[in-house]
Amino acid sequence: MSNHLHLNELNSTKNFSLLPKPIVHGTSQSSSLNFQNKPENSQVSRSTTRLSVKTEAIQKPATEVITTPRTTTLKVKATVVALEFDSSILSITNLGDELKELLRNPLTLELVSAELDPKTGIEKPTIKASANQIDEEGDDVKFEAEFKVPPSFGDVGAIYVEYNNNLEIYLKEIVLEGLPNGPVHITCNSWVQPADKSPKRVFFTNKSYLPSQTPSALKRLREAELVTLRGNGKGERKECDRIYDYDVYNDLGDPDKSLDLKRPVLGGKEHPYPRRGRTGRAKSKKDPLSEKKSSETYVPRDESFSKIKDLVFGSRKYYVALHALIPNIESVLKDSEQGFTQFQDIDELFKEGFNLAPIKDKGLAAILPTVVRTVNDVKEEILRFDVPKTVERDSFFWFRDKEFARQTLAGINPSSIQLVTEWPLKSKLDPKIYGPAESAITKELIEKEIKGYFTVDEAIVQKKLFVLDYHDLLLPYVSKVRELKDTVLYGSRTLFFLTAEGTLRPLAIELTRPKIGDKPQWKQVFTPIWNSTQEWLWRLAKAHVLAHDSGHHQLISHWLRTHCATEPYVIATNRQLSVIHPIYRLLDPHFRFTMEINAFARESLINANGIIESTFSPGKYSMELSSVAYDKLWRFDTQGLPNDLMSRGMAIEDPSAAHGVKLTIQDYPYANDGLLVWDAIKTWVTDYVNYYYPDPALVESDQELQQWWTEIRTVGHADKKDEPWWPLLKSPTDLVEIITTIVWVASGHHAAVNFGQYDFAAYFPSRPTIARTKIPTEEHTEEEWQKFLQKPGRALLNCFPTQLQATKVMIVLSVLSDHSPDEQYIGKHMETPWSDNPVIKAAFEKFSGRLNEVEGIIDARNTDEYLHNRNGAGIVPYELLKPTSKAGVTAMGVPYSISI
């Protein structure tokens, strides 16, 4: 079923221009046109339409296909397939009968020749026909039109669509029958606006063209459609617009509601950050740097979730969770500061749950089955969570140090662990401000912990020491965060030792508080010593580190590295690459719904006083901290998996190794499985790119491609535009590396950090998002110390999130971890333009076959008793990078895009 619906933004009008950008995914199985000097490709799913034309098997893009001249007029039938509106949506809008009646009204279609008139040198007149509704089949509504195509018309290059109605319509595809070479399939997957609101839309065939190879009669349409999609940078965008442009993150706060909700602008010299999609909303009255809030956040029309049956599930679930269920829980758990008084109370969330307050939306149990149950005998709904897989297998998993260490390699934040290469560990922060730079973790302490098997120097040489280092990132925010209510922050380092079994063993945790006022720097090292007092202090220190890791995971590994960094790629691709550009069609599936998801996040997750600020340790400084991470840590050339591993010392380059790198820890599930997926993606991208760029010079001469890459670097990531590490784009090899990186981030990396969140973190003692109390040894009173000694378990519970904080996070993790029924998994769905080209089709089938093999390899690894980081008593197998999944919360499956 459909793929995308995304495209809109900066036009001064919301209209789809007369020459709008092609949005169709064409499946041309055959066509009366055969374009010269251009390989055909498939995949289109942008908000611009495209026509698909089938060409003969092409071995190289430059191959010319010869057609036999026609001498008779053809009767060509066009069948247009639109999607019926979902009945639940119709009931919400109270427009069901009217919409259904309007869908019966006609469309006007115009065939566009790919050839200029040989006598006049101008575009040939179009051939127009009206389409009337002929059928309803399931969710589809069909329209039909008939054309008389004279011999002089030549090949069809595009089609105009005009909708003579007062409501938008969603077009799936157009099929042309009666052409000499067989049916032409034109996949639209786009919203078409009423004729009185927007000029007619254009949809190109599925044939892909580099700019220099575009048929002469299509060049004007190609260029004009890109102009339409870029807009003019003025005015507030309307819902039906399909314009793409950039803006800074100036919409996270809400100063007009309260000055306490004012937040700094992210993007610019002071707070570097990627750019987001521009909405053009008015400025706040109380803060001219901020954008005024509105009831909905604009995204280009075809980037937004559709309001049709198969796609409503994901957006509806997200909306209900954040806008209906969470306020309901807040009304039930009225004491926002109430913590858990005993561990049994936590277990009750998975056993009995608690009653929800009366709620208008009665579909909660169907929409959120992981967290809401309907009690049939009283027809009431209760909040009761599914038991995560981790708890099912081992109810004490969260207590174990080995599991704490294992999850740095096989959990939901596996890209933070790094090799220790120097000793002593030192801070790079200014010691005049933050205190002595050298770590309190001493050589003697470590050598005692590893019991004399190695000296520290020997352990470093043999690559045995690893660290989670959140010291320099967090320390500058410690004093600010401590001014907030019920949250405590430290800078932290956690040191691990690689055992002979290939597993990590935690050795020490260092917590640091910088100088605050007249208080000097405070730091302490905790080790897993087996006496009761030190053991409980270790557990409390571990809770703080886990809160740090949870924040790093959500704000950096997840949000920043995938959602946030990818949005500029989506915008640039739609602004600079025509839908008939082969690279557009390659990238398009990987951007499905990302802008819409990000808009939701800015409204309810990362906004001022939203879920993140109210439940994670950095509080109101969460997004500012994300900006610091972007400034100090993010670089495009280390976003691809092999380079990421090497930058952290987790691998070294080795051409003789299976994936070109040799892992420092051989049993590293994220890296091992990720490299399989990375290689499969890279091989597919290489086959695709080499087909369309057989001559390396074509890359440098491709104006659209070069403008695309320039805009990503200098506008989308403007605050990093002068960095020397940006890859050059001069050859097919360069292009392959760039695209593989973008695709990996949107598919593999996002899957690894997203879809396991419920199973690994919903039982929050295993990954608390906030630490509310300080370590008992930090400047304590005698009374505080005695309370700790008498009830250390209560001290740990007090450190954990409150009931309200924990419950809110658990709901969000359930939603984020869930695969919708219409999910499109990498390698499983072949875009129509790909299937139309036999060479590309064969390459994709090879890609798909390789991913099937990857699934089998991962299954085999998870049963290997020698791989202790993914197999053993009570251990959840590592399946986050298995390519496919069923719907629901499964902790596996790699979708094409950042779709949740």
Side-chain angles (χ1 to χ4, degrees):
M1 205 106 156
S2 69
N3 246 335
H4 316 246
L5 331 141
H6 316 298
L7 277 163
N8 245 344
E9 235 256 343
L10 287 163
N11 229 342
S12 52
T13 69
K14 59 186 174 184
N15 299 339
F16 299 91
S17 96
L18 174 67
L19 318 166
K21 185 163 197 171
I23 295 184
V24 183
H25 301 209
T27 46
S28 70
Q29 294 172 343
S30 57
S31 123
S32 67
L33 23 134
N34 293 298
F35 297 147
Q36 298 179 350
N37 298 327
K38 189 59 191 154
E40 103 187 61
N41 187 18
S42 68
Q43 186 213 349
V44 170
S45 85
R46 126 176 340 203
S47 83
T48 40
T49 45
R50 337 161 186 195
L51 256 189
S52 99
V53 182
K54 176 172 181 179
T55 38
E56 306 301 325
I58 300 175
Q59 297 305 315
K60 293 188 178 182
T63 302
E64 180 175 344
V65 181
I66 307 300
T67 59
T68 303
R70 288 190 289 106
T71 58
T72 58
T73 297
L74 297 175
K75 288 185 178 180
V76 176
K77 182 177 74 173
T79 302
V80 181
V81 182
L83 284 173
E84 177 64 279
F85 287 87
D86 178 43
S87 59
S88 65
I89 293 296
L90 296 177
S91 65
I92 292 172
T93 59
N94 296 318
L95 291 173
D97 294 339
E98 180 183 354
L99 288 176
K100 290 183 178 181
E101 180 60 31
L102 290 174
L103 283 173
R104 290 179 168 79
N105 292 339
L107 294 158
T108 300
L109 309 178
E110 295 179 55
L111 299 182
V112 179
S113 176
E115 306 167 8
L116 296 176
D117 188 309
K119 295 181 179 179
T120 64
I122 62 174
E123 296 170 9
K124 296 177 181 179
T126 61
I127 302 175
K128 184 181 292 189
S130 293
N132 298 293
Q133 183 175 336
I134 58 169
D135 189 22
E136 287 189 29
E137 183 178 322
D139 297 326
D140 293 341
V141 179
K142 293 185 179 181
F143 301 82
E144 190 174 279
E146 188 173 283
F147 300 91
K148 291 183 178 180
V149 181
S152 60
F153 188 75
D155 294 334
V156 177
I159 191 167
Y160 284 121
V161 177
E162 188 172 49
Y163 186 45
N164 304 311
N165 220 315
N166 62 355
L167 288 172
E168 64 183 0
I169 187 172
Y170 187 85
L171 299 188
K172 286 178 64 178
E173 66 173 351
I174 301 170
V175 181
L176 301 178
E177 296 178 289
L179 295 168
N181 296 325
V184 174
H185 294 260
I186 304 159
T187 306
C188 306
N189 288 336
S190 177
W191 292 97
V192 175
Q193 301 302 314
D196 63 346
K197 293 183 179 180
S198 171
K200 53 190 173 183
R201 291 288 304 281
V202 64
F203 293 84
F204 293 93
T205 68
N206 274 2
K207 266 189 113 172
S208 296
Y209 301 95
L210 299 183
S212 62
Q213 299 168 335
T214 308
S216 54
L218 299 182
K219 288 182 178 179
R220 181 183 67 86
L221 295 184
R222 178 176 186 145
E223 294 168 1
E225 177 66 2
L226 286 172
V227 170
T228 297
L229 291 168
R230 293 173 194 145
N232 61 10
K234 298 178 181 179
E236 182 174 355
R237 299 273 58 87
K238 306 296 189 299
E239 181 184 5
C240 63
D241 285 347
R242 45 190 290 271
I243 298 172
Y244 294 77
D245 203 357
Y246 302 92
D247 207 344
V248 293
Y249 279 73
N250 61 353
D251 65 341
L252 301 180
D254 193 0
D256 287 344
K257 184 175 181 180
S258 169
L259 287 177
D260 290 338
L261 298 178
K262 180 181 176 180
R263 296 293 181 268
V265 174
L266 302 186
K269 186 175 181 180
E270 186 174 356
H271 298 292
Y273 217 55
R275 299 305 189 255
R276 63 166 175 92
R278 178 185 177 275
T279 67
R281 290 181 291 193
K283 298 300 182 183
S284 161
K285 293 180 180 179
K286 295 183 179 179
D287 178 19
L289 296 178
S290 296
E291 194 171 78
K292 189 176 182 179
K293 288 290 186 180
S294 59
S295 58
E296 292 185 0
T297 301
Y298 165 80
V299 295
R301 186 66 187 99
D302 285 339
E303 298 293 339
S304 62
F305 288 123
S306 67
K307 294 179 180 177
I308 54 180
K309 188 173 183 179
D310 281 354
L311 297 179
V312 74
F313 185 84
S315 59
R316 183 75 175 141
K317 175 181 295 190
Y318 201 88
Y319 178 87
V320 168
L322 298 182
H323 296 281
L325 183 55
I326 286 179
N328 185 288
I329 293 168
E330 290 173 335
S331 70
V332 174
L333 301 175
K334 295 180 181 180
D335 185 354
S336 62
E337 299 177 19
Q338 177 62 49
F340 292 89
T341 58
Q342 53 186 352
F343 284 95
Q344 291 92 320
D345 294 339
I346 300 173
D347 296 336
E348 287 301 310
L349 292 173
F350 304 97
K351 294 179 180 178
E352 299 298 327
F354 57 83
N355 290 331
L356 294 170
I359 191 168
K360 293 180 180 179
D361 197 319
K362 290 299 182 182
L364 289 178
I367 296 171
L368 299 165
T370 305
V371 297
V372 178
R373 303 289 185 277
T374 299
V375 182
N376 292 323
D377 54 347
V378 292
K379 300 298 182 184
E380 290 183 354
E381 291 185 316
I382 63 171
L383 184 79
R384 188 176 70 209
F385 293 89
D386 279 355
V387 178
K389 292 179 182 177
T390 45
V391 179
E392 274 188 332
R393 289 195 171 225
D394 180 0
S395 59
F396 294 102
F397 82 103
W398 64 278
F399 222 53
R400 306 186 194 285
D401 287 345
K402 285 187 177 180
E403 182 64 12
F404 167 52
R406 189 186 75 86
Q407 286 194 28
T408 65
L409 303 173
I412 55 175
N413 193 32
S415 55
S416 290
I417 188 81
Q418 56 187 312
L419 179 70
V420 174
T421 57
E422 296 179 350
W423 196 269
L425 303 175
K426 284 187 178 180
S427 169
K428 296 180 181 179
L429 298 174
D430 186 349
K432 294 179 182 179
I433 299 174
Y434 299 104
E438 189 166 315
S439 169
I441 303 176
T442 64
K443 207 179 251 193
E444 293 74 21
L445 184 150
I446 295 307
E447 290 176 352
K448 178 181 177 182
E449 286 298 313
I450 57 181
K451 297 180 172 52
Y453 288 112
F454 297 95
T455 65
V456 166
D457 292 337
E458 289 170 342
I460 290 175
V461 169
Q462 296 192 36
K463 299 182 179 179
K464 294 289 187 178
L465 294 181
F466 297 83
V467 66
L468 281 181
D469 192 347
Y470 299 134
H471 182 278
D472 285 10
L473 179 66
L474 298 180
L475 203 62
Y477 282 86
V478 168
S479 60
K480 295 180 184 180
V481 168
R482 286 184 172 220
E483 293 175 359
L484 304 176
K485 189 175 182 179
D486 288 335
T487 183
V488 172
L489 192 65
Y490 295 97
S492 70
R493 297 184 180 99
T494 306
L495 199 66
F496 300 89
F497 176 74
L498 180 62
T499 70
E501 291 183 327
T503 60
L504 291 176
R505 179 164 70 88
L507 298 177
I509 291 173
E510 178 186 30
L511 299 181
T512 304
R513 184 205 67 198
K515 177 182 177 182
I516 299 178
D518 58 356
K519 295 181 179 179
Q521 182 194 67
W522 177 90
K523 62 174 66 174
Q524 185 172 347
V525 178
F526 303 88
T527 58
I529 297 173
W530 296 108
N531 69 65
S532 61
T533 300
Q534 294 300 319
E535 184 177 9
W536 277 104
L537 287 172
W538 168 257
R539 287 170 182 159
L540 282 161
K542 194 164 63 170
H544 278 273
V545 168
L546 286 166
H548 301 166
D549 196 60
S550 293
H552 185 279
H553 162 256
Q554 206 64 268
L555 292 169
I556 300 169
S557 301
H558 185 197
W559 165 256
L560 174 62
R561 290 186 62 174
T562 66
H563 290 258
C564 184
T566 296
E567 186 152 345
Y569 311 150
V570 182
I571 298 171
T573 299
N574 284 276
R575 285 170 54 86
Q576 298 299 340
L577 298 181
S578 167
V579 291
I580 57 176
H581 196 293
I583 300 305
Y584 173 87
R585 285 174 165 161
L586 175 61
L587 287 172
D588 189 40
H590 300 286
F591 298 150
R592 178 177 184 251
F593 298 150
T594 299
M595 289 187 73
E596 177 81 338
I597 288 291
N598 289 0
F600 269 134
R602 299 203 309 275
E603 289 178 16
S604 303
L605 281 180
I606 61 174
N607 60 308
N609 206 32
I611 302 296
I612 295 295
E613 285 195 2
S614 63
T615 60
F616 282 73
S617 282
K620 64 184 289 185
Y621 302 103
S622 293
M623 291 304 293
E624 190 176 326
L625 188 64
S626 177
S627 168
V628 171
Y630 176 71
D631 183 31
K632 296 183 179 299
L633 304 176
W634 190 91
R635 42 189 292 174
F636 183 88
D637 64 331
T638 59
Q639 299 308 293
L641 181 58
N643 286 349
D644 168 53
L645 294 170
M646 289 188 286
S647 72
R648 293 186 285 116
M650 302 304 290
I652 59 171
E653 188 171 9
D654 183 355
S656 67
H659 307 287
V661 294
K662 182 180 179 180
L663 294 179
T664 308
I665 299 177
Q666 296 305 305
D667 183 10
Y668 186 179
Y670 164 71
N672 281 306
D673 295 358
L675 287 169
L676 293 174
V677 176
W678 168 272
D679 281 357
I681 292 171
K682 189 169 185 177
T683 299
W684 154 240
V685 171
T686 300
D687 290 344
Y688 189 100
V689 166
N690 287 344
Y691 173 74
Y692 284 103
Y693 294 93
D695 181 353
L698 289 172
V699 171
E700 281 198 273
S701 64
D702 186 332
Q703 186 177 11
E704 286 185 7
L705 188 70
Q706 293 298 328
Q707 288 173 341
W708 167 78
W709 183 233
T710 297
E711 185 167 289
I712 285 173
R713 293 182 290 110
T714 63
V715 184
H717 286 271
D719 301 326
K720 298 272 191 176
K721 62 183 174 62
D722 297 323
E723 296 289 353
W725 40 253
W726 283 105
L728 300 175
L729 181 52
K730 293 186 174 183
S731 68
T733 301
D734 297 336
L735 182 57
V736 166
E737 190 69 22
I738 289 167
I739 293 177
T740 304
T741 297
I742 291 173
V743 170
W744 163 256
V745 167
S747 57
H749 180 77
H750 179 260
V753 299
N754 182 72
F755 291 104
Q757 291 187 88
Y758 188 80
D759 279 327
F760 282 90
Y763 190 78
F764 66 87
S766 70
R767 289 190 68 80
T769 58
I770 191 169
R772 296 190 296 135
T773 60
K774 63 184 177 66
I775 289 288
T777 52
E778 182 198 341
E779 297 174 352
H780 58 273
T781 66
E782 182 62 27
E783 181 182 1
E784 289 172 336
W785 183 249
Q786 289 301 319
K787 283 185 177 180
F788 163 67
L789 292 178
Q790 292 167 15
K791 293 186 177 181
R794 174 64 64 86
L796 185 57
L797 285 167
N798 289 341
C799 188
F800 284 159
T802 66
Q803 293 184 31
L804 181 59
Q805 288 171 331
T807 306
K808 287 163 70 172
V809 169
M810 291 163 73
I811 291 168
V812 172
L813 296 185
S814 171
V815 173
L816 295 178
S817 301
D818 188 70
H819 289 290
S820 64
D822 74 314
E823 194 79 87
Q824 292 183 359
Y825 297 100
I826 191 168
K828 293 301 178 184
H829 174 78
M830 187 186 301
E831 297 291 312
T832 303
W834 302 343
S835 63
D836 289 344
N837 183 315
V839 176
I840 300 302
K841 180 180 179 182
F844 181 84
E845 288 173 343
K846 181 175 75 172
F847 174 48
S848 181
R850 177 53 183 162
L851 290 174
N852 287 337
E853 293 174 0
V854 167
E855 294 222 1
I857 294 171
I858 291 174
D859 286 339
R861 287 174 173 173
N862 284 327
T863 61
D864 188 336
E865 62 181 8
Y866 295 103
L867 298 179
H868 301 292
N869 288 319
R870 61 196 309 155
N871 180 276
I875 289 178
V876 174
Y878 189 78
E879 299 180 308
L880 293 175
L881 286 163
K882 285 187 68 171
T884 57
S885 171
K886 62 182 181 180
V889 178
T890 63
M892 65 177 72
V894 181
Y896 275 111
S897 66
I898 303 166
S899 58
I900 191 67

